[in-house]
């Protein structure tokens, strides 16, 4: 049996499946899910992320979080957490860079929020030199000051899609035609949660909704509001999504999200307005392009410093990595950064309210 057989059997028994349900099964089904069964990152895998491109990304994020911790009066103990840590590379770079900040490492309890057993094992290897606490959901974060990072995590949360029809909405669903999975539309229904979107959409427009976002963020914002800290969120997307951004990637190329479920990475653009709305009771910063954020934190100076020790192909790939992270035509503009922090406190460096 494959995940495709399993999904087809479910649709036969229960009818068309919601997209978030399909996406959740494809990514996290314990036996066949994409993240559950593999390490998808890097040149050999399906996609590459900023921390895998260059150590500079995690170093600058680590120093930004440590600076915010100092600005907050160095609360101790505190939680240093990451959502969806992949291979653990970002956290390793954060810990290396922040080790020079007096008191930071001693006061930090490192917590990794990860749903995949396979990736949890990779993270444990990468971070073998550190004490880390693995958890599967943000509810399990300790009740203390929280400094958190999430890179390319929210794009993996399951979405629903709705197509406008008059004042109602038709939900996009996965159904069956003969033995093949196909996308279809449910009946038009009112959607109270989409009331605002009646103002900026027309008949036939498609909007996306990520319901998991608020349940993931609620425990995070509760801890920051109560004890202090910040959450730094980096992902691709923009303020308010409009249109179909659902995509599947396999071996660094786009593929059909309905083909061979469980074998491709499924993502959608992150709606930063939805993150800002879920920020309460915390404040949120402006959404800032990744390139601008990294430049403000001094990536060019760091790149020049690292370049002094490099020659030949290593130097070329270092220069290319700097460009890739920051250039507007590469990741610099597509990726955005937002931070959540306590009302009335300064945001982390590199961002403004
Ligand atoms: N942040 C890493 C990896 C991004 S890939 C990097 O930048 O390289 C997405 C990560 O989120 C993977 O570790 C995946 O297993 C994890 N993940 C996806 N959905 C999740 C969920 N609902 N709960 C917890 N972890 C999840």
């Amino acid at each position: 049996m494959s995940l495709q057989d399993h999904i087809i059997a479910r649709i036969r028994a229960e009818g068309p499946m919601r997209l978030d349900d399909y996406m959740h099964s494809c990514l996290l089904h314990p036996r066949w899910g994409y993240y559950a069964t593999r390490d998808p990152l890097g040149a050999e895998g399906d996609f590459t992320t900023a921390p895998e491109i260059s150590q500079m990304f995690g170093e600058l994020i680590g120093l930004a979080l440590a600076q915010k911790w100092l600005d907050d009066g160095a609360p101790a103990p505190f939680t240093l957490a990451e959502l969806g840590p992949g291979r653990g590379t970002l956290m390793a770079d954060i810990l290396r860079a922040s080790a020079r900040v007096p008191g930071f490492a001693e006061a930090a309890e490192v917590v990794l929020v990860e749903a995949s057993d396979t990736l949890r094992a990779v993270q444990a290897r990468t971070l073998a030199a550190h004490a880390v606490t693995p958890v599967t959901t943000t509810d399990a974060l300790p009740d203390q000051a929280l400094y958190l990072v999430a890179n390319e995590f929210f794009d993996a949360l399951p979405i629903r899609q709705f197509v406008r029809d008059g004042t109602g909405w038709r939900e996009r669903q996965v159904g069956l035609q003969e033995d093949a999975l196909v996308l279809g539309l449910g009946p038009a229904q009112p959607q109270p949660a989409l009331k605002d979107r009646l103002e900026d959409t027309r008949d036939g427009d498609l909007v996306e909704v990520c319901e998991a976002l608020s349940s993931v963020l609620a425990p995070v914002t509760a801890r920051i509001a109560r004890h202090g800290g910040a959450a730094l969120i980096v992902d691709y997307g923009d303020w308010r999504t409009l249109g179909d951004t659902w995509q599947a990637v396999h071996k660094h190329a786009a593929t059909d999200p309905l083909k061979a479920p469980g074998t491709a990475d499924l993502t959608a653009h992150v709606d930063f307005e939805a993150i800002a709305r879920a920020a309460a009771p915390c404040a949120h910063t402006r959404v800032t392009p990744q390139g601008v954020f990294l430049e403000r934190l001094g990536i060019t100076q760091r790149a020049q410093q690292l370049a002094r020790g490099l020659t030949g192909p290593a130097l070329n790939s270092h220069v290319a990595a700097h460009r890739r992270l920051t250039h507007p035509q590469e990741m610099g503009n597509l990726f955005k950064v937002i931070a959540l922090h306590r009302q009335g406190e300064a945001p982390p460096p590199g961002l403004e309210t």
Side-chain angles (χ1 to χ4, degrees):
M1 193 154 175
S2 65
L3 184 57
Q4 175 155 315
D5 300 334
H6 172 76
I7 287 173
I8 289 174
R10 256 193 68 186
I11 294 173
R12 285 226 165 87
E14 299 167 15
M17 207 180 219
R18 273 166 47 168
L19 223 54
D20 56 352
D21 212 355
Y22 176 78
M23 197 169 162
H24 186 264
S25 292
C26 289
L27 293 180
L28 292 175
H29 188 285
R31 177 144 164 227
W32 299 294
Y34 178 73
Y35 284 115
T37 52
R38 76 201 70 209
D39 167 7
L41 288 144
E44 305 287 298
D46 295 316
F47 62 96
T48 307
T49 57
E52 301 297 333
I53 291 169
S54 168
Q55 68 185 72
M56 295 187 290
F57 183 78
E59 289 172 348
L60 293 169
I61 297 230
L63 293 176
L65 289 175
Q67 183 62 55
K68 172 68 175 140
W69 177 76
L70 289 172
D71 293 345
D72 293 346
F78 72 94
T79 306
L80 177 62
E82 182 174 358
L83 306 184
R87 287 184 173 164
T89 309
L90 173 54
M91 185 53 83
D93 293 337
I94 288 174
L95 291 169
R96 195 183 57 256
S98 62
R100 294 187 199 160
V101 177
F104 188 79
E106 295 73 20
E109 184 181 340
V110 180
V111 180
L112 305 176
V113 183
E114 174 59 64
S116 153
D117 291 340
T118 306
L119 284 170
R120 194 172 307 115
V122 179
Q123 291 152 21
R125 280 202 296 280
T126 309
L127 296 164
H130 303 273
V132 301
T133 307
V135 300
T136 54
T137 64
T138 52
D139 302 306
L141 288 167
D143 195 24
Q144 59 191 12
L146 171 63
Y147 296 79
L148 175 144
V149 64
N151 183 61
E152 290 210 47
F153 170 80
F154 285 92
D155 64 345
L157 294 182
I159 53 151
R160 298 170 75 179
Q161 292 186 325
F162 295 93
V163 176
R164 178 147 177 203
D165 183 345
T167 55
W169 301 88
R170 300 181 68 185
E171 178 153 20
R172 233 169 158 207
Q173 301 168 318
V174 181
L176 275 180
Q177 202 166 59
E178 316 269 310
D179 280 338
L181 296 173
V182 290
L183 284 173
L185 290 176
Q189 283 173 335
Q191 290 292 340
L194 291 175
K195 202 167 94 288
D196 289 358
R197 301 307 304 265
L198 290 173
E199 285 157 25
D200 73 323
T201 54
R202 293 184 301 192
D203 250 11
D205 280 349
L206 184 151
V207 300
E208 295 175 336
V209 178
C210 176
E211 287 175 355
L213 191 143
S214 49
S215 48
V216 167
L217 279 179
V220 172
T221 56
R223 280 153 187 73
I224 294 173
R226 195 174 315 136
H227 305 288
L232 205 53
I233 295 167
V234 188
D235 228 306
Y236 60 106
D238 223 324
W239 190 261
R240 183 170 284 211
T241 71
L242 180 63
D244 179 9
T245 74
W246 196 42
Q247 63 169 23
V249 168
H250 182 65
K251 301 277 171 220
H252 300 267
T255 172
D256 177 354
L258 300 184
K259 205 180 111 196
T263 62
D265 185 36
L266 298 182
T267 59
H269 282 207
V270 171
D271 181 351
F272 282 84
E273 184 183 37
I275 292 183
R277 274 218 201 100
C282 286
H284 65 86
T285 67
R286 281 191 215 174
V287 176
T288 304
Q290 172 174 298
V292 172
F293 172 69
L294 294 175
E295 288 299 350
R296 286 180 182 161
L297 294 179
I299 194 170
T300 298
Q301 290 87 326
R302 179 66 181 137
Q304 285 165 350
Q305 187 190 32
L306 286 170
R308 277 185 223 124
L310 300 170
T311 52
L315 178 60
N316 292 342
S317 92
H318 171 62
V319 171
H322 177 211
R323 184 188 152 87
R324 204 163 158 202
L325 291 180
T326 56
H327 197 279
Q329 273 154 14
E330 305 228 17
M331 296 170 81
N333 218 11
L334 176 63
F335 281 74
K336 308 285 192 308
V337 189
I338 193 172
L340 314 182
H341 60 96
R342 201 138 67 150
Q343 302 271 0
E345 281 183 358
L351 298 169
E352 55 206 3
T353 44

